[in-house]
Amino acid sequence: MELTPQSAMDHQQTENASGPHQKRKIAFVCNPKMGGSGIIATELAMALAERGHHIWLLAERHPYSWRQVSDTLHFLKLHVNDYPVFESAPHTLALAGALANLVEQNGIEIVHAHYAVPYAAAGLMAKFICKKPFKLMTTLHGTDVVKLADDPAMHRVIETVLAESERVISVSDDLAQQTFDRFDLKQTPATIANFVVPKKIFQGNRADARKELGLDVDETYLVHASNFREIKRIPDIVRCFALVRKQMKCKMIFLGEGPEVEPSKALARSLGVFDDITWVGQDPLISRWFSAANVNLQLSEYESFGLTLIESMIQGTPSVVTNIGGMPEVVKDVGKIVEVGDYEAAANAALELLNDEESEHIKKLCLEVASSRYSSEAVCIAYEKVYDQALCTKCKSEEVAASI
């Protein structure tokens, strides 16, 4: 009998369970657009609200994955006036002022920013103007450390923000070490991984997903999901698929939108594989597509973690990834790892997974690893420990032992 995501979740480890934590008042600030950082920040906010914490999420609009899950979850729309005197709207200043007002009006204890710039920078500015004290937590997701920090002016801002944050968290050990190496910090950031949201898991097998999506039940499918930026190296994925397509009958699914979509379509036409690709665009029910696929391709130039890896893993779908950032940490037991830019090796790795006679074993292992290592409960407990330590004066000298 085929193992389903629900049966895998039933095996979830409970060793991380702990007693009840004091309920906190926490403001979240993050990018509301489609992307791993915003999705994780929003899902964490919602999960903590379901655990009884009072959560406010401040953004220009409802985040991509927002759901009103609890009466302790609140959304506050950020209004940014676009004054003609400025070259661009003063987003960071507006966010800082709105945060200060939010803290004063609701007794917020913690502002949890996802990304140092602009969100934690706005939080730090809010601390200077706010009439009530609060703790600033910063979770790093990658781009601010790996890309923005190359700008000397931005480097100074990020370093100051991290130094002034009560706690700095990263989503992978690799990102934590890179952060410590690049900035003058007193200690390496703690690591709290991304997680799988149980309510967003497709509860069915591959055939069920394909029938629901109108796909061929007997076809072989590769899949990729991202925001289609240059760093995702979409041309490598198209070329990889073209090579796999020469060796076996298969099709490709692309999920997401972004600047690399049209160039990728042009490349697919030139390689003669355009008609074998389904261009889905954005779909909030992404789990159905991962469940329907045989192999996930993530060949990015850099990923601090790679949220889609566990989103596909919990559906039993293994991944081929590049040997960079936090991705090898995620798939080391259940996927294939190749060097950046080597789409030929990626094609061979995908073929190995597709031709593997023990595919059901790989699927079972994917489900077990995702449900045991990357559960929302474990991540919530880790963050609750960080919050408690930051707000508890007797814990000031303790090291943050929240790595999962």
Side-chain angles (χ1 to χ4, degrees):
M1 184 174 74
E2 186 173 17
L3 189 68
T4 65
Q6 185 59 52
S7 61
M9 292 299 287
D10 291 340
H11 291 89
Q12 181 171 313
Q13 294 177 351
T14 58
E15 289 87 346
N16 287 326
S18 64
H21 288 258
Q22 184 175 340
K23 304 311 177 188
R24 303 298 186 185
K25 291 185 175 182
I26 309 167
F28 274 70
V29 284
C30 65
N31 188 339
K33 299 178 181 178
M34 182 181 181
S37 67
I39 291 173
I40 283 295
T42 306
E43 294 292 351
L44 177 61
M46 293 187 296
L48 289 169
E50 289 185 300
R51 292 169 68 86
H53 300 281
H54 291 268
I55 307 295
W56 285 259
L57 198 153
L58 177 60
E60 300 94 312
R61 58 179 174 82
H62 282 95
Y64 174 75
S65 58
W66 172 270
R67 302 183 306 282
Q68 188 64 52
V69 298
S70 167
D71 58 6
T72 62
L73 178 66
H74 314 278
F75 173 77
L76 182 64
K77 182 178 176 60
L78 175 66
H79 296 280
V80 183
N81 292 319
D82 191 0
Y83 298 101
V85 69
F86 297 132
E87 290 290 334
S88 59
H91 171 269
T92 305
L93 298 177
L95 182 57
L99 276 173
N101 291 336
L102 183 63
V103 170
E104 292 172 357
Q105 293 167 8
N106 296 282
I108 302 294
E109 302 168 279
I110 293 170
V111 170
H112 191 164
H114 288 257
Y115 270 136
V117 176
Y119 303 105
L124 181 57
M125 186 177 296
K127 290 194 73 171
F128 289 124
I129 64 177
C130 190
K131 296 178 181 178
K132 293 184 177 180
F134 64 85
K135 303 297 184 181
L136 176 62
M137 309 287 180
T138 301
T139 293
L140 301 172
H141 293 267
T143 301
D144 36 9
V145 171
V146 178
K147 290 293 183 183
L148 296 182
D150 291 338
D151 180 333
M154 197 66 74
H155 188 282
R156 294 194 65 181
V157 174
I158 296 171
E159 187 166 74
T160 301
V161 167
L162 298 183
E164 295 297 327
S165 296
E166 186 72 22
R167 293 288 188 273
V168 179
I169 311 296
S170 69
V171 296
S172 68
D173 290 337
D174 176 84
L175 181 60
Q177 189 60 51
Q178 285 208 50
T179 303
F180 186 74
D181 292 342
R182 286 173 176 242
F183 299 99
D184 184 14
L185 302 179
K186 294 180 180 179
Q187 62 182 11
T188 305
T191 298
I192 301 180
N194 291 337
F195 60 94
V196 178
V197 182
K199 291 182 180 179
K200 297 179 73 173
I201 298 171
F202 179 76
Q203 302 299 334
N205 58 30
R206 183 171 291 155
D208 295 332
R210 292 182 177 184
K211 289 176 181 177
E212 186 173 309
L213 295 167
L215 300 176
D216 187 341
V217 174
D218 298 319
E219 184 63 89
T220 297
Y221 290 95
L222 306 179
V223 66
H224 170 82
S226 73
N227 50 21
F228 282 76
R229 293 179 294 147
E230 186 176 353
I231 196 172
K232 304 299 182 179
R233 299 186 70 93
I234 308 300
D236 285 356
I237 295 174
V238 176
R239 292 187 177 97
C240 170
F241 168 63
L243 291 176
V244 174
R245 185 70 183 83
K246 288 182 178 180
Q247 299 296 319
M248 66 183 302
K249 185 175 181 294
C250 61
K251 293 185 178 181
M252 182 81 210
I253 299 166
F254 276 119
L255 293 156
E257 298 175 353
E260 291 294 301
V261 170
E262 292 306 318
S264 298
K265 287 182 177 180
L267 176 60
R269 288 190 181 95
S270 70
L271 294 174
V273 295
F274 181 83
D275 292 339
D276 294 315
I277 298 176
T278 299
W279 306 86
V280 178
Q282 291 189 5
D283 185 349
L285 300 177
I286 192 172
S287 62
R288 299 180 303 171
W289 297 95
F290 284 127
S291 181
N294 300 84
V295 171
N296 175 38
L297 299 177
Q298 293 292 335
L299 307 182
S300 303
E301 182 178 325
Y302 182 80
E303 293 282 353
S304 60
F305 183 88
L307 179 59
T308 60
L309 303 182
I310 56 174
E311 289 178 320
S312 62
M313 194 186 299
I314 196 59
Q315 300 297 159
T317 303
S319 298
V320 178
V321 307
T322 39
N323 189 24
I324 197 74
M327 292 194 292
E329 298 173 31
V330 180
V331 307
K332 59 183 178 181
D333 298 321
V334 292
K336 299 288 185 180
I337 302 169
V338 301
E339 297 303 317
V340 175
D342 195 345
Y343 58 86
E344 293 181 351
N348 291 331
L351 285 166
E352 286 182 32
L353 289 173
L354 293 172
N355 292 320
D356 194 334
E357 295 180 357
E358 297 182 352
S359 57
E360 281 303 307
H361 170 72
I362 294 175
K363 182 169 186 174
K364 181 179 179 180
L365 188 59
C366 283
L367 294 167
E368 291 176 347
V369 169
S371 59
S372 62
R373 293 183 189 170
Y374 305 111
S375 72
S376 59
E377 181 184 20
V379 171
C380 283
I381 290 171
Y383 270 113
E384 285 171 338
K385 184 173 182 178
V386 172
Y387 297 152
D388 288 348
Q389 288 178 333
L391 293 170
C392 179
T393 54
K394 69 179 181 179
C395 299
K396 291 299 182 182
S397 62
E398 295 182 7
E399 293 288 330
V400 177
S403 179
I404 61 173

